[in-house]
Amino acid sequence: MVALRLIPCLDVANGRVVKGVNFVNLRDAGDPVELACRYSDEGADELVFLDIKATFENRKTLIDLVSRTAKTVKIPFTVGGGINSLESINELLRAGADKVSLNSAAVKNPKIISLSSQEYGSQCIVVAIDARRKSSNPNRWEVYVQGGRINTKLDVLDWAKSVEEFGAGEILLTSMDGDGTQKGYDLELTNQVARAVNIPVIASGGAGCVEDIYEVLTKGRASAALLASLLHDQKLTIREIKSFLINKELLIRPDY
């Protein structure tokens, strides 16, 4: 069995970590290099670094910030935001990223998933899916791009299956409805996507307490839990979360 993972997420805008609710009303949460170092030292299994305005502002991810952040951590590191070519993927991997996360570019041109996974290995290619429940059918979800600004009308489950077929090694699944609310993950969404594919699913959006994390790793069938507000606001630490999950007899790497 593969150990379940806890992954802090650093959403970055204008060189600072930010956090909002439902993808809006962003507030400052700190310096990305300092937070990355803290979470790495606390025993996080991986980190995700997302330049959340890169695609919307039609520019590349901040390579210098990626390089400085990568140098501070001792754990695998995923970078996303504004990635739309093999050249940009290569630049980020050379800057120190272990993986890249594709979102809007993958929807626009799914071939980038297959080309990049062939070039760099599927283990390096994560596809992020930002999902929102359909108002007309709350049992289905649609894919959003451009930082949650545009509804593609794509069905999330259909897109998740396609992502796997194109060669992605992992899915980063964010519930836009749960994002930043700290009211719990969307267990139904996560469970359905995890059951639909054979690649790991990282659950994101809504963690508010240790019980939420336990539930998404069990009932939600997620392979990893993404954490942001809960850690940035210092409500819990990685060590406290891991201790709770280990006591629940989940297969978790201890904090080192």
Side-chain angles (χ1 to χ4, degrees):
M1 294 180 64
V2 178
L4 301 168
R5 293 166 290 154
L6 298 180
I7 307 177
C9 181
L10 306 177
D11 288 340
V12 175
N14 304 317
R16 298 285 294 178
V17 176
V18 296
K19 191 57 195 156
V21 178
N22 308 130
F23 282 42
V24 296
N25 299 323
L26 301 179
R27 57 184 171 80
D28 187 273
D31 178 80
V33 178
E34 289 180 5
L35 289 176
C37 190
R38 180 204 302 171
Y39 298 145
S40 177
D41 290 344
E42 283 185 0
D45 299 299
E46 298 182 21
L47 288 168
V48 168
F49 168 29
L50 301 177
D51 188 346
I52 61 173
K53 291 186 176 181
T55 297
F56 178 66
E57 295 176 352
N58 193 29
R59 60 169 172 76
K60 293 182 179 179
T61 299
L62 302 173
I63 297 293
D64 178 62
L65 183 57
V66 171
S67 179
R68 289 190 295 114
T69 304
K71 289 175 182 176
T72 70
V73 303
K74 312 176 187 71
I75 53 179
F77 188 62
T78 300
V79 180
I83 303 171
N84 55 20
S85 67
L86 291 185
E87 179 187 7
S88 57
I89 292 172
N90 185 58
E91 286 179 342
L92 290 167
L93 294 176
R94 287 175 62 86
D98 297 279
K99 309 177 191 178
V100 296
S101 174
L102 306 172
N103 191 338
S104 300
V107 172
K108 183 178 181 180
N109 177 24
K111 285 186 178 179
I112 193 174
I113 305 173
S114 54
L115 290 173
S116 58
S117 63
Q118 290 167 15
E119 181 72 18
Y120 303 106
S122 60
Q123 78 282 353
C124 289
I125 307 303
V126 179
V127 172
I129 301 177
D130 295 334
R132 173 167 276 167
R133 284 183 185 265
K134 294 183 66 172
S135 56
S136 59
N137 184 355
N139 294 317
R140 306 296 289 184
W141 299 262
E142 291 174 317
V143 177
Y144 282 68
V145 294
Q146 298 279 340
R149 296 173 178 86
I150 297 175
N151 183 359
T152 67
K153 304 296 185 180
L154 282 172
D155 179 81
V156 165
L157 293 180
D158 291 342
W159 177 232
K161 293 174 186 177
S162 296
V163 159
E164 180 179 22
E165 291 171 1
F166 277 110
E170 200 163 22
I171 290 173
L172 170 52
L173 178 67
T174 299
S175 165
M176 292 181 62
D177 304 295
D179 175 70
T181 64
Q182 299 189 38
K183 295 180 179 178
Y185 295 92
D186 188 330
L187 299 180
E188 183 182 4
L189 166 66
T190 308
N191 181 283
Q192 288 198 31
V193 172
R195 291 168 65 91
V197 300
N198 295 306
I199 55 178
V201 173
I202 304 169
S204 170
C209 62
V210 286
E211 287 81 6
D212 292 337
I213 300 165
Y214 174 75
E215 287 195 338
V216 83
L217 295 173
T218 52
K219 295 178 182 178
R221 302 171 67 96
S223 297
L226 204 72
L227 307 166
S229 301
L230 194 65
L231 299 178
H232 301 338
D233 295 341
Q234 300 185 44
K235 291 182 64 175
L236 286 170
T237 66
I238 295 289
R239 289 192 176 94
E240 289 170 337
I241 298 168
K242 285 198 167 187
S243 177
F244 176 87
L245 297 176
I246 289 170
N247 286 336
K248 286 283 192 176
E249 299 185 346
L250 294 188
L251 182 56
I252 302 290
R253 295 185 185 94
D255 57 90
Y256 301 102

